[in-house]
Amino acid sequence: MTEARGSAGLNDTTHARRPPGTPCWVSLMVHGTAATQEFYGALFGWEFEPGPRQLGPYVRALLDGHEVAGIGQLPPDRHLPVAWTPYFASDDVNVTAETVRHSGGTVGVGPLDAADAGRLAIASDPTGAVFGVWQAAAHLGTRITGVPGTPAWNELLTRDSASVAKFYQGVFGFELEPSDSADLDHVTLRLDGRPVAGIHGVGRALPRDRGAHWLTYFEVADTEAAAGRVAELGGHVLKEPHDSPHGRMAKVADPEGAVFSVLHTAP
């Protein structure tokens, strides 16, 4: 992670559709939804309400009444990775899905309607990293940002950034800003000059058991406290709290193994 959004206030709520390519939602598919809700409710203060069930049992996480994320249940006969998945906004998910296919990616689910909430597809890039595409209707996506318990950033961890960055540029129209450091393989994805996500090439450090994957960062008030709470709740601290140019962060996993990062954004 080399550039994250700055901290906002409680009034930083969204009431309009995002421009195409904007990260607009994060969703987690798990085997045990009740235990997962208990974990994230205790960690982030989330409450939950039912959501569209086109992909099976599904709830939306709420923070102070604002929708921030989704949690669904994996079919018992599907042995899929438990992972947070970012969704990128689209004005026409059918067109975006076709662009994904023509650009070397794969569309695994959809496009399909999620009741009156919107239309979605779940796809993977040419390296196998999974992401979602969301065409908003009644459900606009994450409604509040910049406060503890909300998604703060999404970063793709992959073997090298150059080739896959072109894929995302072609699909979503991102502007690409490679790092000017010779020691860092990183590309910032921008829309209208704003940083919205990143691609980090980690070479052989890419986990063999996971392959290329998106990593979601959640804002917290205190990184040490959040990492400690993860462990108390049955999760795992994978990388201890440490400083970065953009704040103090730690990489953790929930009890089912979904990996994410907690971040206290630097002022």
Short mmCIF file of all heavy atoms in Angstrom, two decimals, residues 184-211:
data_model
loop_
_atom_site.label_atom_id
_atom_site.label_comp_id
_atom_site.label_asym_id
_atom_site.label_seq_id
_atom_site.Cartn_x
_atom_site.Cartn_y
_atom_site.Cartn_z
N LEU A 184 10.50 -0.61 -5.54
CA LEU A 184 9.10 -0.89 -5.25
C LEU A 184 8.32 -1.09 -6.53
O LEU A 184 8.27 -0.21 -7.39
CB LEU A 184 8.49 0.27 -4.45
CG LEU A 184 7.01 0.13 -4.06
CD1 LEU A 184 6.80 -1.03 -3.11
CD2 LEU A 184 6.49 1.43 -3.45
N ASP A 185 7.74 -2.28 -6.69
CA ASP A 185 6.91 -2.59 -7.85
C ASP A 185 5.46 -2.29 -7.47
O ASP A 185 4.76 -3.12 -6.90
CB ASP A 185 7.08 -4.06 -8.24
CG ASP A 185 6.24 -4.44 -9.44
OD1 ASP A 185 5.67 -3.53 -10.09
OD2 ASP A 185 6.12 -5.65 -9.74
N HIS A 186 5.04 -1.07 -7.76
CA HIS A 186 3.69 -0.65 -7.34
C HIS A 186 3.11 0.31 -8.37
O HIS A 186 3.81 1.16 -8.92
CB HIS A 186 3.73 0.05 -5.98
CG HIS A 186 2.38 0.34 -5.41
ND1 HIS A 186 1.64 1.45 -5.78
CD2 HIS A 186 1.63 -0.34 -4.53
CE1 HIS A 186 0.49 1.44 -5.13
NE2 HIS A 186 0.45 0.37 -4.36
N VAL A 187 1.80 0.14 -8.63
CA VAL A 187 1.07 1.04 -9.51
C VAL A 187 -0.16 1.53 -8.76
O VAL A 187 -0.93 0.72 -8.23
CB VAL A 187 0.65 0.35 -10.82
CG1 VAL A 187 -0.25 1.26 -11.65
CG2 VAL A 187 1.86 -0.06 -11.63
N THR A 188 -0.34 2.84 -8.70
CA THR A 188 -1.55 3.42 -8.14
C THR A 188 -2.57 3.58 -9.25
O THR A 188 -2.25 4.08 -10.34
CB THR A 188 -1.26 4.78 -7.49
OG1 THR A 188 -0.30 4.61 -6.44
CG2 THR A 188 -2.53 5.38 -6.91
N LEU A 189 -3.79 3.11 -9.00
CA LEU A 189 -4.89 3.26 -9.95
C LEU A 189 -5.65 4.53 -9.61
O LEU A 189 -6.10 4.70 -8.47
CB LEU A 189 -5.82 2.05 -9.88
CG LEU A 189 -5.15 0.68 -10.10
CD1 LEU A 189 -6.18 -0.44 -9.97
CD2 LEU A 189 -4.45 0.62 -11.45
N ARG A 190 -5.81 5.41 -10.58
CA ARG A 190 -6.47 6.69 -10.35
C ARG A 190 -7.67 6.87 -11.27
O ARG A 190 -7.68 6.36 -12.40
CB ARG A 190 -5.49 7.85 -10.56
CG ARG A 190 -4.36 7.90 -9.53
CD ARG A 190 -3.38 9.03 -9.83
NE ARG A 190 -2.37 9.17 -8.77
CZ ARG A 190 -2.49 9.98 -7.72
NH1 ARG A 190 -3.56 10.76 -7.61
NH2 ARG A 190 -1.55 10.05 -6.80
N LEU A 191 -8.66 7.61 -10.77
CA LEU A 191 -9.79 8.05 -11.58
C LEU A 191 -9.91 9.56 -11.44
O LEU A 191 -9.99 10.07 -10.31
CB LEU A 191 -11.08 7.40 -11.09
CG LEU A 191 -11.29 5.92 -11.43
CD1 LEU A 191 -12.56 5.41 -10.75
CD2 LEU A 191 -11.40 5.70 -12.94
N ASP A 192 -9.86 10.25 -12.54
CA ASP A 192 -9.91 11.72 -12.52
C ASP A 192 -8.87 12.29 -11.56
O ASP A 192 -9.12 13.25 -10.84
CB ASP A 192 -11.31 12.20 -12.12
CG ASP A 192 -12.37 11.79 -13.13
OD1 ASP A 192 -12.06 11.77 -14.33
OD2 ASP A 192 -13.50 11.47 -12.71
N GLY A 193 -7.70 11.67 -11.53
CA GLY A 193 -6.61 12.14 -10.70
C GLY A 193 -6.64 11.66 -9.27
O GLY A 193 -5.68 11.86 -8.52
N ARG A 194 -7.73 11.02 -8.83
CA ARG A 194 -7.85 10.54 -7.44
C ARG A 194 -7.33 9.12 -7.32
O ARG A 194 -7.70 8.25 -8.13
CB ARG A 194 -9.31 10.55 -6.98
CG ARG A 194 -9.97 11.89 -6.92
CD ARG A 194 -11.40 11.74 -6.39
NE ARG A 194 -12.20 10.84 -7.22
CZ ARG A 194 -12.58 9.62 -6.86
NH1 ARG A 194 -12.23 9.11 -5.70
NH2 ARG A 194 -13.33 8.89 -7.69
N PRO A 195 -6.51 8.82 -6.31
CA PRO A 195 -6.12 7.42 -6.09
C PRO A 195 -7.30 6.63 -5.56
O PRO A 195 -7.95 7.04 -4.60
CB PRO A 195 -5.00 7.53 -5.05
CG PRO A 195 -5.28 8.81 -4.32
CD PRO A 195 -5.89 9.74 -5.33
N VAL A 196 -7.60 5.48 -6.19
CA VAL A 196 -8.74 4.68 -5.74
C VAL A 196 -8.35 3.26 -5.35
O VAL A 196 -9.10 2.60 -4.62
CB VAL A 196 -9.85 4.64 -6.82
CG1 VAL A 196 -10.43 6.03 -7.05
CG2 VAL A 196 -9.33 4.05 -8.13
N ALA A 197 -7.21 2.76 -5.81
CA ALA A 197 -6.77 1.41 -5.48
C ALA A 197 -5.31 1.28 -5.90
O ALA A 197 -4.74 2.19 -6.53
CB ALA A 197 -7.63 0.35 -6.16
N GLY A 198 -4.70 0.16 -5.55
CA GLY A 198 -3.30 -0.04 -5.89
C GLY A 198 -3.03 -1.46 -6.34
O GLY A 198 -3.79 -2.39 -6.06
N ILE A 199 -1.93 -1.63 -7.06
CA ILE A 199 -1.44 -2.94 -7.47
C ILE A 199 0.00 -3.06 -7.00
O ILE A 199 0.84 -2.23 -7.35
CB ILE A 199 -1.52 -3.13 -9.00
CG1 ILE A 199 -2.97 -3.01 -9.48
CG2 ILE A 199 -0.93 -4.48 -9.40
CD1 ILE A 199 -3.12 -3.10 -10.99
N HIS A 200 0.28 -4.08 -6.19
CA HIS A 200 1.61 -4.26 -5.62
C HIS A 200 2.19 -5.57 -6.11
O HIS A 200 1.66 -6.65 -5.81
CB HIS A 200 1.50 -4.27 -4.08
CG HIS A 200 2.82 -4.26 -3.39
ND1 HIS A 200 2.95 -4.42 -2.02
CD2 HIS A 200 4.09 -4.11 -3.86
CE1 HIS A 200 4.23 -4.37 -1.70
NE2 HIS A 200 4.93 -4.19 -2.80
N GLY A 201 3.25 -5.48 -6.89
CA GLY A 201 3.97 -6.67 -7.34
C GLY A 201 4.93 -7.13 -6.26
O GLY A 201 5.82 -6.38 -5.88
N VAL A 202 4.71 -8.34 -5.75
CA VAL A 202 5.54 -8.83 -4.64
C VAL A 202 6.44 -9.99 -5.06
O VAL A 202 7.13 -10.57 -4.22
CB VAL A 202 4.66 -9.26 -3.44
CG1 VAL A 202 3.91 -8.05 -2.88
CG2 VAL A 202 3.68 -10.36 -3.84
N GLY A 203 6.45 -10.33 -6.34
CA GLY A 203 7.35 -11.37 -6.83
C GLY A 203 7.13 -12.70 -6.15
O GLY A 203 6.01 -13.17 -5.98
N ARG A 204 8.22 -13.31 -5.72
CA ARG A 204 8.14 -14.65 -5.11
C ARG A 204 7.53 -14.62 -3.71
O ARG A 204 7.26 -15.67 -3.14
CB ARG A 204 9.53 -15.27 -5.05
CG ARG A 204 10.11 -15.58 -6.43
CD ARG A 204 11.45 -16.27 -6.33
NE ARG A 204 11.98 -16.60 -7.64
CZ ARG A 204 13.15 -17.20 -7.84
NH1 ARG A 204 13.91 -17.52 -6.79
NH2 ARG A 204 13.56 -17.48 -9.06
N ALA A 205 7.32 -13.42 -3.16
CA ALA A 205 6.68 -13.32 -1.85
C ALA A 205 5.18 -13.58 -1.91
O ALA A 205 4.52 -13.67 -0.87
CB ALA A 205 6.94 -11.95 -1.24
N LEU A 206 4.63 -13.72 -3.12
CA LEU A 206 3.21 -14.01 -3.26
C LEU A 206 2.92 -15.38 -2.67
O LEU A 206 3.57 -16.37 -3.01
CB LEU A 206 2.83 -13.99 -4.74
CG LEU A 206 1.33 -14.06 -5.06
CD1 LEU A 206 0.64 -12.78 -4.62
CD2 LEU A 206 1.12 -14.30 -6.56
N PRO A 207 1.96 -15.47 -1.74
CA PRO A 207 1.67 -16.77 -1.10
C PRO A 207 1.27 -17.83 -2.12
O PRO A 207 0.38 -17.61 -2.94
CB PRO A 207 0.51 -16.46 -0.16
CG PRO A 207 0.55 -14.98 0.05
CD PRO A 207 1.10 -14.41 -1.22
N ARG A 208 1.94 -18.97 -2.09
CA ARG A 208 1.63 -20.03 -3.05
C ARG A 208 0.22 -20.58 -2.86
O ARG A 208 -0.43 -21.00 -3.82
CB ARG A 208 2.64 -21.17 -2.90
CG ARG A 208 4.04 -20.81 -3.38
CD ARG A 208 4.94 -22.03 -3.34
NE ARG A 208 6.28 -21.73 -3.84
CZ ARG A 208 7.24 -22.63 -3.95
NH1 ARG A 208 7.02 -23.88 -3.55
NH2 ARG A 208 8.43 -22.29 -4.41
N ASP A 209 -0.25 -20.59 -1.61
CA ASP A 209 -1.56 -21.17 -1.36
C ASP A 209 -2.70 -20.23 -1.71
O ASP A 209 -3.87 -20.65 -1.73
CB ASP A 209 -1.68 -21.60 0.11
CG ASP A 209 -1.49 -20.43 1.08
OD1 ASP A 209 -0.85 -19.43 0.68
OD2 ASP A 209 -1.98 -20.51 2.21
N ARG A 210 -2.39 -18.97 -2.01
CA ARG A 210 -3.44 -18.01 -2.32
C ARG A 210 -3.35 -17.47 -3.74
O ARG A 210 -4.35 -17.16 -4.36
CB ARG A 210 -3.41 -16.83 -1.34
CG ARG A 210 -3.69 -17.22 0.11
CD ARG A 210 -4.15 -16.01 0.89
NE ARG A 210 -5.41 -15.49 0.38
CZ ARG A 210 -5.80 -14.24 0.52
NH1 ARG A 210 -5.02 -13.36 1.14
NH2 ARG A 210 -6.96 -13.84 0.06
N GLY A 211 -2.14 -17.32 -4.25
CA GLY A 211 -1.98 -16.70 -5.54
C GLY A 211 -2.30 -15.22 -5.49
O GLY A 211 -2.39 -14.62 -4.41
#
